[in-house]
Amino acid sequence: MQINVTMKKNFLLAMMMCFGGTAMAQTPIYLDDNQSIEVRVQDALSRMTLEEKVRLSYAQSKFSSPGVPRLGIPELYWSDGPHGVRMEINWNDWNHANWTNDSITAFPALTALAATWNPVMSAAYGKSISEEALYREKDVMLGPGVNIYRTPLNGRNFEYMGEDPYLASVMVVPYIQEMQKNGVAACVKHYALNNQETWRNHIDVQVSERALYEIYLPAFKAAITKGGSWTIMGAYNKIAGTHACHNDRMLNQILKKDWKFDGVVVSDWGGTHDTKEAALNGLEVEMGSYTNGLTSESDFGYDDYYLGKAYLKMIKDGQIPESVVNDKAARILRLIFRTSMNRKKPFGSICTEAHYAAAEAIGNEGIVLLKNAPVTKKSSALLPLKKDYQNILVVGDNAVRKLNEGGGSSELKVKDMVSPLDGLRAIYGNRVKYAQGYTAGKPMYGNADVISKEVEDKLREEAVAMAKEADVVILVGGLNKNHFQDCEGGDRQQYGLPFGQVQLIEELQAVNKNLVLVLLSGNAVEMPWVDKVPAIVQGWYLGSMGGKSIANVLSGKVNPSGKLPFSFPVKLTDCGAHAFDELSYPGDGIKQVYKEDILVGYRWHDTKKIPAAFAFGHGLSYTQFEYGKAIASAKKMTEDGTLEIAVKVKNVGDVAGKEVVQLYIGDDKCSVVRPLKELKHFEKIALNPGEEKTVTFTVTVDDLKFYDDSKKDWMAETGKFKAYIGSSSTDIRTIVPFVLE
């Protein structure tokens, strides 16, 4: 029997009448898909009691919030995370539900997506992940994350899109747009200044207005004003004395008034701390503060949330105006109509060939070739691997480790996982041998295994002995998702590689010069051994198809085209956040001051003339790209005009490849401190051998502006500027001077 829309409406109406709903002569407008969402919201709002409006604003389980059962309005189901749909969590506690049908596709972490510098990959990512969310009946996906990479010690950097606000702004928009086309809400996070895990629940971040507007807000603004994100998650930390989840300035003034956000602000889980502040300062939905009292985890029920019975009482006592209640309820209803009550959304799918292909393609384009030098003066570069290698030794715990496990809320349960070892064996067969080399222990959250020196020595010695006989050694190392590594809840405790990898690298190199190092991490690492290793690949956390992508690049099946979305400082104190005292990082336990101000990442390295080990935007190819001289359409531009800058780029090598052409703007003289240059445009192009393309950028006055604290507005000063065009922030190929009149 086929049930049509009219029958569904009549059934819902009948159920409403049976269970206490008001009898009506016609179907409620809020059920009618042909009416605008705003008409439906107001219709539903007019039918709701005060108690029903309040009940929308706090959780009913770990990952759901209620609807209005009396009116047939369904609940919302929320899910981590930004890289795939998290496995089911129990209704009332944090344990895994142990379902058998919640295995999914793990997509590359967002650092890898940012490293593609390709908005097309971002769109494919958002589309694919939303289809898996639909299959799992999730209405809101908690991601993407766009917090700025301020320090390489931040445990959650792998969830974000790098150190540059423009890059993150461009990459976040297609992800959100494609996800929400399928009726699944994106929840951009963590708004804002959640740039470390140490003391994240209470640290009070102090930052200048310029740094806030120029560095830390642009990607969030793009997610709202261009991406149209339907929800946003407040951060744990405080901002200027008030928690971010109920911060009037951040939520009411900037987000809702200035950016015209019409969606829902949800707290990070447990990020709410005060009823009146939460009610008046812009929070719509409170999640994760307690449980419902049915388990030993908490004696509190859901009604004990800050936006529960205490909120209701304050309304009835006249402390909170009903207009506030109606605004919150309207925003939540709008979200429900866009998602769980959206009958036009498609069916979902999971672990499909298309999703695996998207994950592999993103990995292919995100992998960054950091270094590729010849072993001797007479030999060629070490990568791609020579086809005649007969004995390929793969070393490393990360070559076989499931890096989707651990990491906190971004943990994923996969149906299929291709490891780097699997990927290489699929191409080279039994020519590939394996030695563990080092061990990192179990992927535990909140704990760390202690590995005995005896075990560590034995694994290293076995690997070194096998390396003596190998044609080439591929060490797959880096970090993992253990606590105090790339993991929620704690920052890294050292900048260098853990688990004895430094000694392992040195000993492998001593017996075999043909050493390729593949780093799997979401963070930069210290590289005192960098001159001894001829080939270094930044491989990120690449998810289900990661091993295929790594093998594709190492074998030459794919020409690497990824570019770093953040700088690799030589040493920790070369990073702006660490160049001052502890008040800058990690703070004194109560507050923290961002003393590097606007000079984050390459802005710091450039302006302070402190070279990075590998620069922002850096990434090599198996071919070479030659840049012509950039030509501007004029030598001067006016405040209401534009400037066209064109540059020819040619593939002068032997293989097809992709290049990211980057344009930075520098202000020669200004009344305030400005970085030497800032990324303002980029374009990724594909070129066959011998092929040449012209890339044209349109520069506007907005590209020249800085945020003026005194005027509380953006401005550009007249004078001389330079457009720097190149292959990275330090590999500048051509410069165009011009004047703003």
Side-chain angles (χ1 to χ4, degrees), residues 55-77:
R55 190 62 192 90
L56 291 175
S57 282
Y58 59 99
Q60 66 176 12
S61 74
K62 283 297 184 189
F63 282 96
S64 70
S65 59
V68 189
R70 182 181 66 86
L71 298 179
I73 297 175
E75 59 267 88
L76 289 166
Y77 284 90

Side-chain angles (χ1 to χ4, degrees), residues 471-484:
D471 295 323
V472 63
V473 179
I474 302 169
L475 172 57
V476 185
L479 307 177
N480 59 36
K481 301 292 188 64
N482 285 7
H483 194 44
F484 298 131

Side-chain angles (χ1 to χ4, degrees), residues 225-238:
T225 62
K226 295 181 180 179
S229 185
W230 292 337
T231 69
I232 190 170
M233 182 190 292
Y236 280 125
N237 50 281
K238 292 180 179 179

Side-chain angles (χ1 to χ4, degrees), residues 121-388:
M121 292 293 102
S122 180
Y125 200 123
K127 179 179 185 295
S128 300
I129 202 172
S130 68
E131 290 169 351
E132 302 225 343
L134 287 168
Y135 180 90
R136 292 276 304 281
E137 299 184 331
K138 304 302 181 186
D139 304 303
V140 186
M141 287 298 297
L142 303 178
V146 291
N147 292 101
I148 291 296
Y149 187 112
R150 178 177 180 253
T151 163
L153 298 188
N154 181 12
R156 296 188 83 173
N157 276 335
F158 70 96
E159 296 187 45
Y160 306 139
M161 295 191 181
E163 72 186 24
D164 184 75
Y166 179 76
L167 175 63
S169 296
V170 171
M171 294 300 293
V172 74
V173 170
Y175 179 120
I176 293 170
Q177 290 174 333
E178 291 302 311
M179 173 173 281
Q180 294 186 167
K181 282 180 184 177
N182 280 332
V184 177
C187 185
V188 64
K189 63 182 189 180
H190 306 86
Y191 182 71
L193 300 172
N194 185 181
N195 305 116
Q196 66 187 55
E197 292 299 283
T198 301
W199 300 319
R200 67 175 183 173
N201 293 307
H202 63 270
I203 196 72
D204 187 5
V205 178
Q206 312 287 318
V207 65
S208 74
E209 288 289 284
R210 275 196 70 197
L212 181 67
Y213 277 91
E214 291 188 20
I215 304 298
Y216 297 103
L217 288 186
F220 286 106
K221 183 179 181 181
I224 302 304
T225 62
K226 295 181 180 179
S229 185
W230 292 337
T231 69
I232 190 170
M233 182 190 292
Y236 280 125
N237 50 281
K238 292 180 179 179
I239 300 171
T242 305
H243 277 97
C245 285
H246 32 84
N247 188 299
D248 179 69
R249 168 109 192 279
M250 300 300 295
L251 302 180
N252 287 335
Q253 301 302 315
I254 296 175
L255 178 65
K256 294 179 178 178
K257 181 182 177 183
D258 296 348
W259 299 349
K260 312 301 182 188
F261 177 61
D262 71 351
V264 166
V265 178
V266 61
S267 71
D268 205 338
W269 270 228
T272 312
H273 302 271
D274 184 90
T275 294
K276 193 168 187 178
E277 282 189 1
L280 295 177
N281 292 355
L283 182 68
E284 270 74 59
V285 176
E286 177 188 358
M287 298 294 288
S289 296
Y290 312 108
T291 68
N292 72 345
L294 295 180
T295 74
S296 60
E297 184 180 339
S298 172
D299 293 329
F300 293 91
Y302 289 107
D303 290 341
D304 294 299
Y305 274 33
Y306 292 101
L307 289 181
K309 61 188 179 185
Y311 172 42
L312 180 62
K313 183 177 185 302
M314 291 182 78
I315 299 166
K316 290 182 175 180
D317 290 347
Q319 298 182 59
I320 296 170
E322 194 163 350
S323 60
V324 170
V325 184
N326 286 335
D327 181 65
K328 290 189 196 305
R331 288 171 178 272
I332 297 165
L333 287 169
R334 188 177 296 124
L335 177 61
I336 290 172
F337 290 141
R338 285 168 165 169
T339 58
S340 65
M341 215 165 171
N342 177 0
R343 285 171 291 189
K344 295 180 181 179
K345 63 186 179 184
F347 291 108
S349 57
I350 204 161
C351 298
T352 63
E353 289 185 11
H355 294 171
Y356 285 167
E360 184 179 350
I362 294 163
N364 290 346
E365 289 209 20
I367 291 172
V368 181
L369 181 58
L370 295 178
K371 182 181 178 184
N372 192 24
V375 176
T376 67
K377 291 182 179 180
K378 295 182 179 180
S379 62
S380 59
L382 193 51
L383 292 176
L385 297 173
K386 294 179 176 60
K387 292 181 172 57
D388 60 355

Side-chain angles (χ1 to χ4, degrees), residues 440-497:
K442 298 176 182 177
M444 306 177 84
Y445 177 59
N447 298 282
D449 281 359
V450 177
I451 310 301
S452 71
K453 188 176 186 304
E454 181 181 5
V455 170
E456 192 175 272
D457 289 346
K458 182 180 179 182
L459 291 174
R460 186 181 66 254
E461 290 164 3
E462 288 176 349
V464 171
M466 293 176 68
K468 293 177 182 178
E469 309 301 323
D471 295 323
V472 63
V473 179
I474 302 169
L475 172 57
V476 185
L479 307 177
N480 59 36
K481 301 292 188 64
N482 285 7
H483 194 44
F484 298 131
Q485 301 246 346
D486 284 326
C487 183
E488 180 180 0
D491 284 349
R492 295 168 62 195
Q493 296 181 319
Q494 64 184 48
Y495 184 37
L497 286 173

